[in-house]
């Protein structure tokens, strides 16, 4: 059994245990809101993002958030629609478009809604040294992961746009990397927020990340991005960043009737998450939160009403969060372009405070 399978098995057993604990003496299940949030696979970053949300929203008495490791891709959409303890889910936006275009879940855009557009996740293509370009993989086995998973859907579309036809493998990423090291396959594709825990923890010596050609067709479908030595010091040299593409993600809720108890629980989660969002930008939380703009929209999908109402009530607060995100992104890009030593989050926060003071005319 793989590591991710073990985690899933543990969580399947863990959810009923939580229900038992909630009903035990000293903790009333009737007065404690239990909210399930489904993440992607254990090899990606959404597990960490789910933990961050849980630590922010969970007050330990009236509200309990339980992250549940899902299989990602189309399966996460199905779990959200079915309910069964899944109130929210991290979903990859190209996977949603895939499911809608094939009508896998009729009326999908009216059955789910998003709380917020979240961060981008990057496409990684790990290969042996003899694979210099994506074109070298024509006719070779490239592992896309489980069918209808996040990586499989993105990789299928990307290779189609590049007009390259590999032989598709469907192993779990960890198993596939072992096969790659033994020379049994040509490459492993993996979609995950950088730096992906999978590539930080797996044995990848002798392997490298292959650049993705940013053709007009690819750029029209995906957001250009780069992987660098800071992300993967053992895989990328400092002076040779790797071109790739990124995919947007979102936090979605399933079908929930306005005025119901589930609606009330989710509205409370939204209020806490949005009001205290700045907390997630502090050290100790995943760096991908810096990419999140709460007011960003996801075209073609409706926003969960309590989230939309919060943004309308707090337009000035949301604008301040957007400005901070832009400022932090500017500092990061400036450091990369100049090759300068990275500043600590505390230093960045101090600079932002000085900037806001100058902007408001309070600086001397």
């Amino acid at each position: 059994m793989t590591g991710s399978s073990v985690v899933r098995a543990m969580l399947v057993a863990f959810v009923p245990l939580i229900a038992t604990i909630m009903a035990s003496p000293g903790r009333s299940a009737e007065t404690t809101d239990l909210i399930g949030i489904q993440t992607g696979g254990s090899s990606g970053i959404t597990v960490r993002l789910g933990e961050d949300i849980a630590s922010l929203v969970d007050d330990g008495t009236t509200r309990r958030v339980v992250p549940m490791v899902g299989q990602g891709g189309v399966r996460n959409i199905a779990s959200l629609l079915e309910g069964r303890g899944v109130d929210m889910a991290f979903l990859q936006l190209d996977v949603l478009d895939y499911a809608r275009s094939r009508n896998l879940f009729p009326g999908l855009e009216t059955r789910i809604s998003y709380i917020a557009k979240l961060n981008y996740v990057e496409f990684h293509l790990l290969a042996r040294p003899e694979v210099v370009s994506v074109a070298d993989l024509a006719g070779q086995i490239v592992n896309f992961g489980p069918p209808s998973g996040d990586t499989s859907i993105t990789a299928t579309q990307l290779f189609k746009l590049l007009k390259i036809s590999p032989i598709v493998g469907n192993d779990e990423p960890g198993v596939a990397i072992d096969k790659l090291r033994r020379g049994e396959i040509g490459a492993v594709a993996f979609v995950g927020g950088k730096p992906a825990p999978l590539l930080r923890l797996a044995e990848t010596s002798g392997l490298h990340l292959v650049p993705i050609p940013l053709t007009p067709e690819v750029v029209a479908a995906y957001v250009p991005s780069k992987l660098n030595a800071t992300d993967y010091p053992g895989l990328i040299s400092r002076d040779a960043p790797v071109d790739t593409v990124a995919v947007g993600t979102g936090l979605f809720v399933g079908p929930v009737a306005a005025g119901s108890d589930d609606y009330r629980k989710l509205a409370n989660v939204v209020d806490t998450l949005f009001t205290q969002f700045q907390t997630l930008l502090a050290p100790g939380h995943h760096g991908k939160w810096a990419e999140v703009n709460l007011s960003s929209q996801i075209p073609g999908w409706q926003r969960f009403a309590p989230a939309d109402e919060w943004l309308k009530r707090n337009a000035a607060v949301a604008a301040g969060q957007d400005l901070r995100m832009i400022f932090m992104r500017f500092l990061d890009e400036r450091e990369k372009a100049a090759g300068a030593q990275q500043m600590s989050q505390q230093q960045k926060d101090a600079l932002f405070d000085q900037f806001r003071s100058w902007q408001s005319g309070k600086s001397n």
Side-chain angles (χ1 to χ4, degrees), residues 10-291:
M10 290 174 62
L11 284 168
V12 167
F14 184 62
V15 172
L17 178 60
I18 284 290
T20 302
I21 293 173
M22 300 302 288
S24 63
R27 182 180 293 275
S28 171
E30 296 179 356
T31 59
T32 303
D33 291 338
L34 185 63
I35 302 105
I37 179 169
Q38 188 162 64
T39 71
S42 57
S43 56
I45 67 167
T46 53
V47 172
R48 174 69 185 281
L49 298 180
E51 291 173 347
D52 284 344
I53 291 177
S55 67
L56 180 69
V57 175
D58 191 341
D59 63 9
T61 54
T62 64
R63 188 166 54 233
R64 173 68 61 86
V65 177
V66 180
M68 297 177 284
V69 177
Q71 295 181 337
V74 171
R75 294 294 297 272
N76 268 25
I77 300 175
S79 295
L80 189 61
L81 291 172
E82 293 168 1
R84 300 181 183 179
V86 178
D87 301 293
M88 303 181 291
F90 293 93
L91 299 178
Q92 205 167 285
L93 301 188
D94 62 343
V95 173
L96 280 170
D97 291 338
Y98 169 89
R100 180 168 58 180
S101 67
R102 287 159 177 74
N103 200 30
L104 299 182
F105 308 98
L108 180 62
E109 62 271 23
T110 65
R111 299 168 66 189
I112 66 174
S113 55
Y114 69 95
I115 291 175
K117 181 179 180 181
L118 297 180
N119 56 285
Y120 284 91
V121 289
E122 288 75 25
F123 182 83
H124 303 73
L125 189 60
L126 188 67
R128 295 172 64 83
E130 57 267 26
V131 176
V132 178
S133 71
V134 179
D136 294 336
L137 294 169
Q140 293 200 51
I141 299 174
V142 179
N143 194 77
F144 284 10
S148 298
D150 292 322
T151 294
S152 181
I153 289 170
T154 302
T156 299
Q157 174 68 0
L158 187 56
F159 273 81
K160 181 179 179 180
L161 292 172
L162 293 171
K163 299 180 174 59
I164 297 170
S165 300
I167 299 169
V168 176
N170 298 120
D171 289 312
E172 291 283 350
V175 173
I177 291 176
D178 286 340
K179 287 187 175 182
L180 178 63
R181 293 178 61 245
R182 293 194 298 266
E184 298 175 13
I185 62 176
V188 175
F190 177 73
V191 176
K194 64 176 184 180
L198 172 72
L199 299 186
R200 284 291 190 96
L201 298 175
E203 175 52 57
T204 56
S205 58
L207 306 177
H208 73 126
L209 289 164
V210 179
I212 302 302
L214 299 179
T215 65
E217 295 80 8
V218 168
V219 172
Y222 294 99
V223 176
S225 186
K226 286 185 182 294
L227 306 173
N228 55 54
T230 303
D231 303 319
Y232 305 107
L235 288 170
I236 303 174
S237 60
R238 184 168 296 277
D239 59 347
V242 175
D243 286 332
T244 190
V245 294
V247 186
T249 63
L251 181 62
F252 282 75
V253 301
V256 56
S260 66
D261 192 52
D262 286 339
Y263 189 93
R264 174 193 60 78
K265 291 192 300 183
L266 288 168
N268 287 339
V269 169
V270 168
D271 185 69
T272 302
L273 175 62
F274 281 23
T275 302
Q276 300 184 35
F277 179 77
Q278 292 291 332
T279 303
L280 297 176
L281 303 177
H285 300 94
H286 199 284
K288 279 288 187 178
W289 288 114
E291 295 181 6

Side-chain angles (χ1 to χ4, degrees), residues 291-302:
E291 295 181 6
V292 178
N293 177 347
L294 290 178
S295 59
S296 289
Q297 299 180 351
I298 303 178
W301 301 90
Q302 61 184 348

